[in-house]
Every structure is written in C-alpha cells, then in structure tokens.
Amino acid sequence: MELIVTEKDNAARRIADILSDGTADAERVNGVNVYGWGGTRVIGLSGHVVGVDFPPEYDDWRDVEPHELIDAPIDTQPTQEGIVAALRRLARDADRVVIATDYDREGELIGKEAFDLIREVDEHVPVDRARFSSITDREVIEAFENPGSIDFDLAAAGEARQTIDLVWGAALTRFLSLSAGQLGEDFISVGRVQGPTLKLLVDREREIQAFDPEDYWELFATLTGDEGAFEAQYFYLDEEGNEARRVWDGAAAEATDESLAAAEDATVEEVNRRTRSDEPPAPFNTTQFIRAASGLGYSAQRAMSIAEELYTAGYITYPRTDNTVYPEDLEPEELLESFRKTFFGESVEELLDQDEIEPTEGDEETTDHPPIHPTGEMPTDLDDDEWEVFELVVRRFFATCAPAATWEHLRVVAGIAGESPLPSGGGRGLSLKANGKRLLSAGYHSVYPYSSADETIVPDVETGDELAVSESHLDAKETQPPRRYGQSRLIETMESMGVGTKSTRHNTIEKLYDRNYVESDPPRPTQLAHAVVEAAEEFADLIVSEQMTAQLEEDMRAIADGEKGFDEVTEESRELLGRVFEDLTDSREEVGDHLRNSMKADKILGPCPECGEDLLVRKSRYGSYFVGCDGYPDCEYTLPLPSTGKPLILDEECQEHGLNHVKMLAGRKTFVHGCPLCKAEEADAEEDRIIGECPECNEEEGGELAVKQLRSGSRLVGCTRYPDCDYSLPLPRRGEIEVTDELCDEHDLPHLVVHSGDDDEPWQLGCPICNYREFQARDVGSELETVEGIGEKTAEKLESVGIEDIEGLKQADPEELAAGVDGVGAGTVRDWQAKAD
C-alpha cells in the first residue's frame, strides 16, 4: 500500500481527488478520515500532531524555579492521539510513504514528525517527499511523479524554533507571572518574538504621549476664470527658499487672511504641465498581501486564514512566501486565458489585447514558493469574505500583467498684488497655488481598483489670465503625533527588523491581543504592556531586543542551509537566556511590584462614590467580572457588569460620575456598556412591567413575570419572586421594548416588539417563551453559540461538518465529531453535549 500524508484533512481530500481522478472514497480509521482508491491511502494530519514540552516533574510552577527550565530536558508527546494512532496503523501496511505537507520550515517539521512516527512502526519503508506551491492538478501530479527527500536541515530549523520558543516563553512567563502573583488563566505571557513586537508598540505609544502639538494655520481661496472655479492654497518661501503652506505665526496668518478677504482678483503667474508614469505593483508576497487585505478591513490573522483556505482548495498558490518574482515557467497569457470566460472576462480581454505581457518584479526573489497568485481554478462555493480575498489575489495578478498608468499633473500659481507679511512665492504680494491631476491612461487601474485613481481637476488657464478671488478662509490646525501601527504596517516593520517570519508575524499580533497586551485596532498597548517593556528595559533588555530575536532567526536560517547545527543554536540560546536570568533574579521584587502597579492601573475606572478610593474592574471566584472598590474590605461598594464578554476600560469618561466607560469584548457580540453607575441608576429608576403569570411558581406562590432592567445593563423577563424563583428569559440589550395587546394562545403572555430606533423594521419578538430560541439565534448568530464554550469560529467549524443546531450536537458521536473538527477533542464534545441538555 502507498500511504500519502498531508498537513490537514482538507488537503488530503483534495489531493486524493486529484490523484484518483475523482474516484477516491472516504473511510474512518481510528475516527480519522482516510481517503483511498486502489492501493493508495491518504491521511490528513491536523498541523502538529506531536508537541514539545517539559517532563511532568516540571509542571508545578511553585515547586520549580523558572530558571530551572533553561536546561530542563524536553519531551515529544502526541497531542492528537487519534490521528497518531491512525497514522501508525496505516504505516504498518505501507510499502511506500509520501510526505506531502506544506513546503516551508513548519511544514517540513510536521512532515519530519510524521516520518519519525512512521519509523517507530517500520524502520525500512521508503519515505519520499512531494513538494508543490499550489494544490492544482498539474502541480500535484508533477510533484508526485518527481518526489524528493525530506529536508532534515529545514525541519531542524523548525525544531530549533520550537525548542527555543518553548524554553524562552515558559521560563520568562513563569518568572513574570510568579513575580506579579498572576497565576491561573491570568498569567503574564512573554516570548522571544512577542517581546520585541511589544516594545515596538510601546515605543510608538511613548512618542504619541510625549508629542507636544504646535499650532499652525493654512489659508485657502477660490479662484474663478472662464473655464470654471477651483480652490487654491496660500504659500510662501521659508528661510531656506522652499515653498511652505503652513503659517506658524498667528498674527501673520490673520494679516494674510485679511489680505485674501480684501482681494478681488489674481493673476496667473505660472502654469506647469507634466506627465508621469504610474507603474503597476509588484506581485504579492505575504507581507504585501496582508497590507492589501487590511485595506479591505481584514485583520492579519483573518486574511491569512482565508488565504490558507483558498490555497488548500486549489484556488491560489501557497500564501506564505517572501518571493516577489514570478518563476520563469509561469505563462501569464495562459493563466489569464483561464479566466476569459468568467466574471473577470472583461479585464482579461483588455490584458490579452496588449502586444506583449511582461509581469512586474519585486526586489525579493526566492526559490521555494512563487509570489501569491491565482491558479486558474474558478471557485463556485465561496462565502463573501473568501470571494473578496480571492478577487484581490486575482486582480493583483492582473495588475502585475497590466501596463503602467499615465497621469497629467497641472500646477497653477497665481499672484495677488499687495504686501505680504511673509516672503512671497512669486513676485510681490500673496501667492496661491493649485495642483491638479488627470488620468490620461488608466493602465493597471482599470483591472485593479484597490489603488486610488482619483482625479483632482483644475480648469485650463494660461499665464497672464485674470482670475476672480472669493470665499477665502483660514484653517487653524495642530501638528499631529505619529500614528499607531496598523496591523499590516506593524508586520512590515517586523519584517524590516528581522523579527519573526512570514509564517509567524500575524500569529504574534493575535497573541498580543489574547494576552491583554494590546486593545483596539490599530493595536494600542495596555498598561500591562508598558509594565512588561519597562521592566525588561530596566532589568533585562534582551527580552525586548530585536537584535537578539533577529540573530536567532538568522541562526535558524543557517540551520536550514546546513551551516549550523540544531544543538549549537539551541545551546547558544539557552546560554543567552541564562544571562538574562542572572539580571532578572536579583530584581524579582522590583519587577513584581512594577507589574502589579501597572496591572492595577489598567483596571481603574475612577473614584468610588462612597469612599473616594479607586473603583477597579475585578473578577469573582466564579469567573464573572464586576466593579469593586480598592478600599475593600473597609468599603464594600460594588457595581455589576454584563455577563457577556471581557471588560475593556475606554478613555471616554462619564460627565456625571467621573467613571470611565466600559466596553465588553465578545467577538462579533462586542458592545459598549458605558458608565456602570449610570446603568445601575437607570435600572433602579425603572419599575418592572408585569406581563403575566410565572409558569414555574404562579400556581403555588403567585409569582408573576415582568420585563426587568438589571443594574448590569441587561434586560430580561423574570419572576417577581426572584431570588426565591429564578425563572427568566433573556431580552435584547438594545432597543425600546413595547408590550402589545396581542396574547400568546399557549402561554397567555403578551407579544413583545423591539424598536431599534433606526431605519430597521421593528423586531416582532412575540411571546418571550415561544421565541426564546429564536432570540438566541438572532442575538448570537447561531444556535450552537448558545452552548457555553462554543464561539463563532467553533460554530462555523461544527456547521462545516454537518452539525447545524443543538439537537445535531446532542446526537453526534463525540469521537467521530472530534476527528472531523480541528482542535477539538472528544472530551470537549461530551462537555458541550452535557451543557446542551
């Protein structure tokens, strides 16, 4: 039997379909999908199916000092036991194995892990390596007809990264967490790449906070001639003789404004026309793809996730690449031709009408993968986001095959007679200028709408023309601080500094969000982030040094090239970390105090109305959030917070109470809660509205159902006998609730209508009991998300394997369902089923 091993199940399914010419059937081996035809079987892994960790005796954070992890042994253990068991079982019957994981450092390591598992079963079975950059018929068939061998050096580079990241991350995370007393799920995470990335963000935030704005003024006037009117801007010559538009002296600005307002006409002194060629963009590498996708509103993580799905489905080439030069064997005409009879047909016709097609080239050329481009396969089953990203990739390829655009630029300078308080840009008097641009030839813009092709029209004028002056105005402005890094710009900066790799940078940013180091988008560092960076700078600056991280990345490239060995690089890294701990250990108390104070600052809302101490966001022993006084136990003042989401303190402050507003982060369900005290007072002032009898206790105790406004900001239909009877039904948080006269035949409760206050039609909620599930589905987007532990992404994964509702989840076999969903174990499925009952 020939056994083919791919990186994921969907890749296995597609490769089996290609190689079998559509005849492969699916079977289950140890609960894992296996695709077979004739004497061939294809199994997909789930990324890494084994992981590295320290032996169990190092698990107890309190008994093992963090520095002991530096030289601790490292074990490799299965993390996906069902897949590992299936692979071993299939390997026993294999007389040939082909590793077909992704062709990059991480993919080679995953392939090598599979190789090691197979060797445990059979030491002699031949193992080949198939490499391809797109999962298309031509590339896959060619790769399997011309296999190579596993690149053990490249795999060793991936293994070195894995080992170094484990040692650095575990040791530093434990040290900082123990120093600050932050254990459990609130531990303080730091890593080899996280540290320098965090410092980038903190340094930029420091620049913003230290920025001292300067006042300046700009002046404008409308000029009108025979061909029409246009706006022109005042300018003068600075001390170096350069044109300047910003006036830094307020008195001079006022005097100039008065002169412009009094002026009636201006004379055209200069007309300058020139054409400029606007070259099409280079092919996409990973960084530039992420940058372009961010312009469409996609985070780096989301953009790469979609790109990987498109790659696995065979629609685009491998999305993790530094290359910006198409390979010589790429035939652009042939690839364009494949889109002629599709949605893109008009653009294709335009491109193929050229006499010659010479695709653009970027500065970086590598030999592993081509730039990201479409494969020529036209999808039919994409959702809106996937289609938008696919179209972006297709049109970027089109743009690289398109001609340059041509612009005409027009500069007009006009003078106004009189005295100027500043050196004039022309002769004497005041000088005004206008810059226009007109697209003469659209070039690549006609097939790539993501680059601006906006025109600024200035009417034709000639030197000496007299123009009427009107509508002058003076704009007072301030200089602006540097902008925060957007995710794509941050990734570009990380790339230029050698921090991280094309495969890891977007994941690093996601980790910073997950660990509460950054908030909002563009990412803004929290007080915790400032504290970690400040502590590192003072006591162990290597933690946040980009030079150290860049050097380690260079060492891993040297391993891949066979210039250095795994042991040499990992040992150097351990020695480096040992020196870091020499500095840290002596300052443990100072580091802990600094972190604790900063984490407290991240949680302060404002003054307690009862004692004046700080009100803080706190977490109860049950995991819920609330607002409590820092003066506890002397002051027991508290305020509730919504049960959905994780609180984020905003800069906006309540004018009445002096408390910062709170935002609840809950993925797609994120919302602004506002001032917690305002919400509590609103609830106290609103009386319950009785709507009927409580179905659980009315008969015996006389309980009634009422529409209630809770102090946490939530609303519900609940029993008036609470807490003796806790029967309740949730209601939407937003919108005015109308109690109608129409009654439910089954429950004798009035129908409810929710008015959102915008142009949307009112939501006919109906009987709150009958429509409880409907409310849940509308509020969370999927019935599955009403089960604790299932979020939006997990619900999408479950729906992709046919589990569309709670009933389907309850009926599913836990082992089979876990095998079909990445990152989910059978125990987790059983927990969901128990919570769904």
Side-chain angles (χ1 to χ4, degrees):
M1 179 190 76
E2 179 182 55
L3 174 61
I4 298 171
V5 182
T6 71
E7 194 158 319
K8 293 182 179 178
D9 175 70
N10 48 7
R13 183 171 59 251
R14 176 154 178 82
I15 287 173
D17 188 59
I18 291 171
L19 295 179
S20 71
D21 199 20
T23 64
D25 292 321
E27 60 179 308
R28 305 282 284 178
V29 176
N30 279 73
V32 178
N33 290 332
V34 175
Y35 306 92
W37 71 99
T40 303
R41 296 293 181 271
V42 187
I43 183 173
L45 306 177
S46 181
H48 292 283
V49 294
V50 297
V52 294
D53 205 348
F54 301 106
E57 57 264 30
Y58 290 86
D59 286 349
D60 193 323
W61 286 32
R62 296 188 182 279
D63 286 348
V64 178
E65 284 295 320
H67 69 83
E68 295 180 48
L69 299 177
I70 298 174
D71 296 311
I74 293 176
D75 290 342
T76 300
Q77 297 293 337
T79 55
Q80 301 278 345
E81 294 186 359
I83 298 176
V84 169
L87 179 62
R88 285 171 169 159
R89 180 172 164 183
L90 291 168
R92 292 191 186 98
D93 299 324
D95 48 38
R96 179 179 181 240
V97 176
V98 181
I99 302 295
T101 49
D102 293 343
Y103 181 37
D104 60 7
R105 185 193 297 172
E106 210 65 21
E108 207 70 14
L109 176 56
I110 292 169
K112 194 258 184 183
E113 290 167 354
F115 171 87
D116 289 340
L117 291 169
I118 291 165
R119 279 285 175 258
E120 291 175 8
V121 176
D122 189 330
E123 296 181 0
H124 305 293
V125 62
V127 179
D128 292 326
R129 177 71 160 102
R131 296 184 174 90
F132 39 83
S133 293
S134 63
I135 308 181
T136 57
D137 293 17
R138 182 182 63 81
E139 282 217 33
V140 168
I141 291 170
E142 184 177 315
F144 278 83
E145 287 178 348
N146 301 281
S149 302
I150 291 176
D151 186 337
F152 289 99
D153 288 334
L154 184 60
E159 193 174 359
R161 179 205 58 77
Q162 202 177 50
T163 298
I164 291 170
D165 285 353
L166 170 66
V167 174
W168 278 75
L172 291 172
T173 293
R174 287 197 192 185
F175 178 85
L176 294 179
S177 299
L178 289 167
S179 299
Q182 288 292 117
L183 302 180
E185 63 180 31
D186 292 326
F187 67 89
I188 300 174
S189 167
V190 71
R192 179 182 60 85
V193 180
Q194 283 183 48
T197 306
L198 207 53
K199 180 169 166 55
L200 269 176
L201 295 169
V202 169
D203 283 347
R204 175 55 55 91
E205 199 67 21
R206 289 166 172 167
E207 291 178 49
I208 293 171
Q209 292 170 354
F211 184 79
D212 187 13
E214 294 184 68
D215 294 329
Y216 70 92
W217 294 262
E218 292 183 332
L219 298 100
F220 302 86
T222 298
L223 303 181
T224 305
D226 294 339
E227 299 297 323
F230 59 96
E231 187 172 69
Q233 184 171 10
Y234 168 75
F235 74 98
Y236 63 96
L237 300 181
D238 64 17
E239 294 177 354
E240 298 177 355
N242 298 318
E243 291 184 3
R245 295 170 297 175
R246 295 180 175 183
V247 179
W248 300 98
D249 182 89
E254 293 283 354
T256 304
D257 184 45
E258 292 176 5
S259 298
L260 279 177
E264 296 182 355
D265 52 55
T267 303
V268 177
E269 298 175 345
E270 176 189 335
V271 177
N272 184 5
R273 288 183 176 85
R274 61 186 176 87
T275 59
R276 182 180 67 84
S277 181
D278 177 8
E279 297 298 324
F284 269 151
N285 62 8
T286 301
T287 300
Q288 291 307 311
F289 162 71
I290 289 173
R291 181 179 186 181
S294 74
L296 299 177
Y298 294 98
S299 69
Q301 180 76 15
R302 177 65 175 150
M304 287 304 295
S305 175
I306 294 173
E308 286 161 11
E309 291 293 328
L310 294 174
Y311 158 72
T312 305
Y315 300 136
I316 68 172
T317 56
Y318 193 59
R320 302 179 190 275
T321 178
D322 293 321
N323 200 353
T324 55
V325 179
Y326 292 130
E328 291 183 4
D329 61 357
L330 177 72
E331 297 291 344
E333 293 88 350
E334 182 181 327
L335 187 49
L336 287 169
E337 189 68 46
S338 65
F339 289 104
R340 185 192 287 271
K341 295 181 179 180
T342 71
F343 168 83
F344 302 104
E346 187 176 333
S347 296
V348 170
E349 295 283 357
E350 181 182 332
L351 293 170
L352 291 176
D353 279 346
Q354 298 177 91
D355 294 334
E356 184 180 17
I357 296 178
E358 281 289 335
T360 59
E361 295 183 353
D363 297 329
E364 186 76 20
E365 184 172 13
T366 61
T367 57
D368 51 356
H369 292 289
I372 305 168
H373 67 76
T375 62
E377 295 281 337
M378 190 66 185
T380 58
D381 55 350
L382 302 184
D383 63 29
D384 290 346
D385 288 355
E386 290 168 338
W387 171 261
E388 191 170 33
V389 172
F390 174 71
E391 183 176 2
L392 172 66
V393 173
V394 171
R395 291 197 174 279
R396 182 64 164 227
F397 172 70
F398 287 178
T400 64
C401 297
T406 305
W407 293 86
E408 179 189 67
H409 290 258
L410 172 63
R411 169 184 159 93
V412 175
V413 176
I416 297 175
E419 292 296 324
S420 171
L422 296 167
S424 171
R428 293 173 60 77
L430 305 177
S431 296
L432 299 168
K433 68 176 179 179
N435 293 307
K437 63 175 185 175
R438 184 163 58 95
L439 192 59
L440 301 179
S441 172
Y444 75 92
H445 290 288
S446 66
V447 297
Y448 192 71
Y450 312 101
S451 293
S452 175
D454 294 340
E455 297 180 317
T456 304
I457 302 300
V458 174
D460 284 335
V461 294
E462 299 295 337
T463 304
D465 284 356
E466 293 295 317
L467 306 175
V469 181
S470 62
E471 299 178 16
S472 65
H473 58 96
L474 173 68
D475 292 351
K477 299 183 178 181
E478 285 185 337
T479 53
Q480 297 299 306
R483 297 171 63 183
R484 292 189 177 97
Y485 290 108
Q487 291 192 32
S488 61
R489 179 61 181 148
L490 178 58
I491 286 174
E492 288 183 73
T493 306
M494 293 168 68
E495 180 182 41
S496 68
M497 295 169 59
V499 174
T501 69
K502 59 182 180 291
S503 300
T504 61
R505 293 181 187 112
H506 62 283
N507 289 325
T508 298
I509 296 173
E510 196 71 12
K511 287 178 183 176
L512 296 182
Y513 278 105
D514 290 343
R515 298 312 309 162
N516 198 34
Y517 282 131
V518 297
E519 60 196 23
S520 306
D521 192 15
R524 181 181 68 177
T526 61
Q527 288 297 324
L528 174 60
H530 283 274
V532 169
V533 171
E534 289 163 4
E537 288 173 331
E538 184 172 353
F539 303 111
D541 61 356
L542 272 175
I543 296 174
V544 292
S545 164
E546 74 271 14
Q547 289 85 2
M548 179 273 294
T549 297
Q551 180 58 51
L552 287 173
E553 294 291 351
E554 190 59 43
D555 287 343
M556 283 181 267
R557 280 192 286 272
I559 294 175
D561 293 337
E563 298 169 1
K564 282 190 173 184
F566 170 88
D567 291 338
E568 177 187 357
V569 169
T570 53
E571 187 56 37
E572 286 176 358
S573 175
R574 290 176 191 267
E575 291 174 2
L576 193 61
L577 183 57
R579 294 200 292 273
V580 168
F581 265 86
E582 289 175 7
D583 297 328
L584 280 177
T585 304
D586 294 337
S587 311
R588 188 165 191 161
E589 285 190 18
E590 297 97 313
V591 172
D593 289 342
H594 188 68
L595 292 174
R596 279 190 293 272
N597 290 334
S598 294
M599 286 187 293
K600 177 182 173 182
D602 252 346
K603 301 173 182 176
I604 296 176
L605 276 81
C608 173
E610 291 196 354
C611 74
E613 292 282 346
D614 289 328
L615 286 183
L616 308 174
V617 171
R618 297 187 180 277
K619 196 173 186 180
S620 75
R621 69 182 71 178
Y622 306 108
S624 59
Y625 293 96
F626 68 98
V627 176
C629 184
D630 196 34
Y632 180 84
D634 295 329
C635 177
E636 297 183 349
Y637 184 83
T638 62
L639 289 168
L641 288 173
S643 58
T644 300
K646 183 177 181 179
L648 170 67
I649 299 174
L650 303 177
D651 292 333
E652 184 178 355
E653 187 176 289
C654 173
Q655 296 300 311
E656 182 178 354
H657 302 113
L659 301 182
N660 288 80
H661 285 198
V662 175
K663 185 177 188 178
M664 302 303 294
L665 303 177
R668 190 175 61 189
K669 302 182 287 292
T670 292
F671 61 93
V672 175
H673 176 59
C675 168
L677 183 50
C678 284
K679 294 296 182 185
E681 289 178 348
E682 289 169 9
D684 292 340
E686 184 165 330
E687 294 189 7
D688 295 348
R689 288 183 284 172
I690 306 296
I691 63 171
E693 298 177 352
C694 174
E696 289 204 355
C697 73
N698 177 266
E699 195 169 313
E700 294 183 4
E701 304 290 344
E704 295 180 297
L705 290 184
V707 175
K708 298 186 173 194
Q709 177 76 45
L710 304 186
R711 302 183 89 237
S712 65
S714 300
R715 295 186 297 191
L716 53 76
V717 171
C719 184
T720 54
R721 295 185 58 252
Y722 179 84
D724 295 320
C725 175
D726 60 3
Y727 181 85
S728 66
L729 298 164
L731 290 173
R733 179 177 293 275
R734 299 284 182 263
E736 181 182 347
I737 296 176
E738 175 191 358
V739 180
T740 71
D741 294 331
E742 184 179 356
L743 295 179
C744 171
D745 293 335
E746 182 181 354
H747 302 107
D748 201 31
L749 293 177
H751 285 205
L752 304 181
V753 177
V754 181
H755 299 273
S756 62
D758 51 29
D759 295 334
D760 292 342
E761 287 291 320
W763 178 9
Q764 303 292 333
L765 184 65
C767 166
I769 297 177
C770 292
N771 290 287
Y772 174 49
R773 277 294 169 86
E774 178 188 335
F775 160 69
Q776 285 188 306
R778 181 160 179 168
D779 187 49
V780 304
S782 166
E783 183 178 285
L784 291 168
E785 292 177 61
T786 65
V787 177
E788 183 183 349
I790 298 181
E792 178 184 354
K793 292 183 178 178
T794 304
E796 289 175 358
K797 290 181 180 180
L798 292 171
E799 288 166 0
S800 71
V801 295
I803 306 299
E804 298 180 350
D805 52 29
I806 288 178
E807 193 58 35
L809 176 65
K810 290 161 65 175
Q811 297 298 324
D813 179 272
E815 297 288 345
E816 291 187 4
L817 181 55
V821 180
D822 287 345
V824 172
T828 301
V829 175
R830 293 188 185 95
D831 288 343
W832 292 339
Q833 291 173 329
K835 292 171 182 175
D837 283 332

